[in-house]
Structures are given as structure tokens and as C-alpha cells.
Amino acid sequence: MPFRTLRDLDATGLRVFLRADLNVPLKDGVIKDATRIQETLPTLRHLLGQGASVVLASHLGRPAGAGFEAAYSLAPVAEWLRGQGFDARMASGVCGEAVLAEAQALKPGQVLLLENLRFDKGETKNKPEFAKALAALADAYVDDAFGSSHRAHASVSGMVEDFPPERTAAGFLMEKELKALARVVEHPDPPLVAVFGGAKVSDKIDLIRHFLGKAEAILIGGAMSYTFLKSKGVAIGTSLCEEDKIALAGEILAEAEGKGTRLLLPLDHVVADRLDADAECALTQDQEVPEGRMGLDIGPESVAAYSLEIRSARTLVWNGPMGVFELDPFSAGTLSIAEEMAAAANRGAFVLVGGGDSVAAANKAGVTSRLGHVSTGGGASLEYLSGLKLPGVAALER
Ligand code: 3PG
Ligand code: MG
């Protein structure tokens, strides 16, 4: 790995700043899904077990950046940690004199959770004064916030240079995520098959392009397939389509051919006259969507064709649903793909799922625990898979 990990850092007796992604869904102060906290516990336990004290920090949601807002407080996370037996307390703020005193009072084994970093606009604006104030709280810096590593924010990139390189390291979650991504992007065991879905071609251009020439096949689903189909002159009815991206979709299809990657489009669709779970649904006979109908899921012939590709793969990456899986009548395509992914993982293929929607789909299909690697970072994994350098990772590679 081109960055230091926890194995390169002796944290004994140090006060460690641990940037985690504790951006968990909350409703009325109750944590709805603690996955992100759970995933960072190995790092937290390791540091505390070495006899470090930990200044734990994260953002939560997108507050205005003008100070404390109760709805975005990280206090429920501190409570959750105490419930798991951690000696964790809430800091009185994000940084500054009082918080510094609280950090200095920490004993080995104790955790001080800072308030939501985004209460200070210095975080998202990556202000040097704010980065310095954060760095002043600790002797070492550990980044486990893979889900935030695509943000060039103070706690993710700015503050890292205030520590000597040997006092910085990636946490276990960060390391696990980056290793999984490298297994797909840098050294995939071939054949590599990518399944990309979602609404917009414009969101996925870099992603698709980055896999041209790398993947044996790219299977396209979701509303973006209609922009591709239209570029080939196929009738798409009232399906979603980015008119201004039709030419680009055509270019990508041509590029795929030139680079030897088969780019598959749906062969049939589940259609309805409107996006509504109660709408009357029908299956198309072929690739064409009848007039007055919109495609809302891939049909069984597409599922069969895509499944064959998935079964032949040794490495699989999945980002984006095949249809409007949140509504039952349009969920079969996405759920079948999730099942195929899990079956592939069972057979020994390496499967990486990234992107909030695909993770939600895997959860709905009940296969998440059977998949090889389910990323905790939606935007971050998408950017990495698109070939972009993540600021949080660049900071660690110094
Ligand atoms: C996420 O949930 O995607 C990460 O925590 C980053 O949050 P952001 O998209 O608000 O920067
Ligand atoms: Mg995000």
C-alpha cells in the first residue's frame, strides 16, 4: 500500500485524532443504521487497546456551518458508544480552548467525541486556521473516514500536513476499502464485469469510461439505459432521457467497441404509463418501449443475459440499481442482479458493491452479508472507481 496503516503507527501513550465517517442516518435523535460506526470500531478498539486516548471526529449531515444545531449534533453517537462499553464523552464544541483542555484531560483508553465538524465552516472550506486548531488537539492522525475521502475538507486533507508523516496512518476501514477498490481497478482477476445503473448518464460518464478496455463487459441498467437506447435509434416511449447526453451516449458506445469492452443494454423492460406502484405494468416484447409508456425496470430477458455475464466473471463491481427498486412492481430486475452477485461471491468471485442505492438494494434483497465488499462510501467509491484521486487518500500518501 502506498500509505501508512495502523501497523506502521505505535499509538501507545499518544492522543490520536481519529477522523471517522460517523455520518449515520438519524431520526428524532435515534440512530437508524449504525453500520458506519460499527465498521470503524476495529480501529477505535485497536488504538485504545494500545493505550492511546482518542479524539474522535466526524461530520453529520449538512448543517449550515454557522455554529451548533441540535438536529446535527453527534451526541447520539457518543451515547451509542457508551452503550457499547466505551469510555466516551461528548466535547463541548468542535475545537478551541475549552475543547483543547478536554482533549488534554483524556486518559489512555478514553474517547472524546468532537461536535459535528461542519458546525464550523472552516471544515468544508478547508480553512488553514481551522485545520490547525483541530491538529492541536492530538499527537497523531488516523483517517478511517473512507466515506468522506472524496471531500477536500479540513479534517480529511487540510489538517494532515500538520502532523509528521510517521504520525499519520489509514485506519483499518480505510485500508479495507482501498484494498477492495484496488482489487477491482488496479489488479482485477479477469474477467471483470461491471454492472452500472442509475438515473443519469451524466453522473456515470467517468465511471463507464474508466472501465472501457478494463472490463470484459459492462451491463447497463436504470434510467440511463434509455439515453443509450435512444442514441441507437431505439424507441423509448416516455422513459427518462437526457436529451443533451444522447450524442455522448453514442460516443461511449463507439468507444466501448473500439476498446473491446462489450457494453450491454437492456433487451426488454417493465413499463408503465406512470411512475406509481399502482400503475398498470407490462413487459415489452423487445428493446422498444411503446408510445405513452416508460421503462421502469429491466425485464426477464435482460436479467437472463446479464446473469450469464455475471456467472462468467471472476471480479464484479456494481454501482447503481437496474430500475425503480424502491417500488415493488419495478424491483425484480435489481433484486435478481443482487441475488446473482451474491451467488457469484459464493462461487469465489470478488464482488464489490458501492453506492448508496445499490447497497440499499442489496439490503432489500437480503444478500448484503454474502457480498464480498460493500463499501461504506457512496460518493467516495464512485469517484475512486471513476479514476479520480481522493483528497483524503492523497493526504495519507504524503
Ligand atoms: C456521505 O454520507 O456520503 C459522506 O458521509 C459524505 O457526506 P457528504 O456527501 O455530505 O459530503
Ligand atoms: Mg454523500
Side-chain angles (χ1 to χ4, degrees):
M1 290 272 119
F3 48 84
R4 281 165 302 279
T5 68
L6 286 176
R7 282 172 293 283
D8 306 309
L9 178 77
D10 180 6
T12 314
L14 296 183
R15 196 158 64 235
V16 178
F17 188 102
L18 173 57
R19 180 31 162 126
D21 190 346
L22 307 174
N23 185 22
V24 287
L26 281 174
K27 189 149 193 274
D28 304 323
V30 179
I31 296 170
K32 290 288 157 205
D33 178 357
T35 307
R36 279 181 163 173
I37 316 178
Q38 259 147 1
E39 290 278 333
T40 212
L41 292 185
T43 297
L44 184 59
R45 288 208 175 96
H46 171 87
L47 291 170
L48 298 172
Q50 278 197 332
S53 58
V54 171
V55 175
L56 181 61
S58 176
H59 72 286
L60 178 74
R62 294 176 178 175
F68 181 82
E69 284 178 66
Y72 293 101
S73 170
L74 277 164
V77 175
E79 200 183 308
W80 188 95
L81 287 170
R82 283 192 293 274
Q84 301 287 311
F86 288 91
D87 184 355
R89 68 210 58 202
M90 204 54 209
S92 57
V94 178
C95 57
E97 259 173 60
V99 176
L100 180 59
E102 290 158 13
Q104 285 167 341
L106 283 173
K107 295 189 177 62
Q110 293 183 327
V111 180
L112 178 71
L113 175 58
L114 302 183
E115 254 307 354
N116 190 341
L117 295 165
R118 291 187 185 172
F119 285 166
D120 192 310
K121 62 179 179 322
E123 167 66 356
T124 53
K125 297 206 179 321
N126 197 6
K127 290 213 170 136
E129 319 84 76
F130 180 68
K132 286 214 170 353
L134 291 179
L137 299 174
D139 317 303
Y141 173 89
V142 171
D143 189 0
D144 220 14
F146 172 73
S148 309
S149 57
H150 57 317
R151 306 290 185 213
H153 293 173
S155 66
V156 175
S157 71
M159 70 181 286
V160 189
E161 59 197 49
D162 286 315
F163 294 88
E166 63 279 8
R167 285 279 176 94
T168 67
F172 292 132
L173 174 61
M174 178 71 95
E175 185 185 355
K176 183 169 89 171
E177 294 269 12
L178 294 175
K179 278 189 171 157
L181 287 161
R183 259 180 97 169
V184 170
V185 175
E186 270 96 54
H187 44 81
D189 182 9
L192 164 65
V193 171
V195 183
F196 296 147
K200 293 184 181 166
V201 176
S202 48
D203 288 345
K204 306 279 159 101
I205 301 164
D206 291 341
L207 176 68
I208 297 172
R209 283 221 160 109
H210 196 223
F211 280 85
L212 296 181
K214 272 198 180 83
E216 176 76 24
I218 299 179
L219 320 178
I220 300 281
M224 73 165 156
S225 16
Y226 300 104
T227 307
F228 279 106
L229 287 171
K230 189 150 184 193
S231 79
K232 295 180 64 168
V234 176
I236 61 163
T238 55
S239 307
L240 275 186
C241 175
E242 285 171 284
E243 294 292 336
D244 60 336
K245 294 291 178 295
I246 294 173
L248 177 66
E251 277 168 35
I252 293 175
L253 291 175
E255 261 179 60
E257 214 172 295
K259 290 189 169 167
T261 292
R262 287 177 295 114
L263 204 147
L264 277 66
L265 297 173
L267 301 170
D268 58 348
H269 318 273
V270 178
V271 297
D273 57 354
R274 61 188 198 281
L275 175 52
D276 186 332
D278 298 325
E280 205 177 299
C281 301
L283 276 178
T284 61
Q285 300 296 310
D286 52 32
Q287 258 187 333
E288 302 210 339
V289 177
E291 233 172 278
R293 299 296 168 105
M294 55 173 71
L296 294 165
D297 191 14
I298 59 173
E301 257 193 69
S302 316
V303 169
Y306 288 8
S307 298
L308 275 182
E309 297 288 344
I310 292 170
R311 284 172 205 160
S312 74
R314 299 277 318 143
T315 305
L316 285 147
V317 55
W318 180 24
N319 179 293
M322 299 291 100
V324 189
F325 74 98
E326 299 87 343
L327 303 181
D328 286 337
F330 316 117
S331 64
T334 303
L335 299 185
S336 307
I337 294 299
E339 282 289 345
E340 283 295 336
M341 289 284 173
N346 273 3
R347 281 193 308 275
F350 180 67
V351 179
L352 183 142
V353 182
D357 283 343
S358 352
V359 175
N363 287 338
K364 186 165 177 174
V367 301
T368 309
S369 64
R370 288 158 59 203
L371 298 168
H373 183 83
V374 179
S375 180
T376 54
S381 64
L382 177 63
E383 290 199 14
Y384 187 107
L385 292 169
S386 302
L388 300 173
K389 188 85 205 171
L390 305 178
V393 178
L396 291 172
E397 287 176 355
R398 190 171 47 110

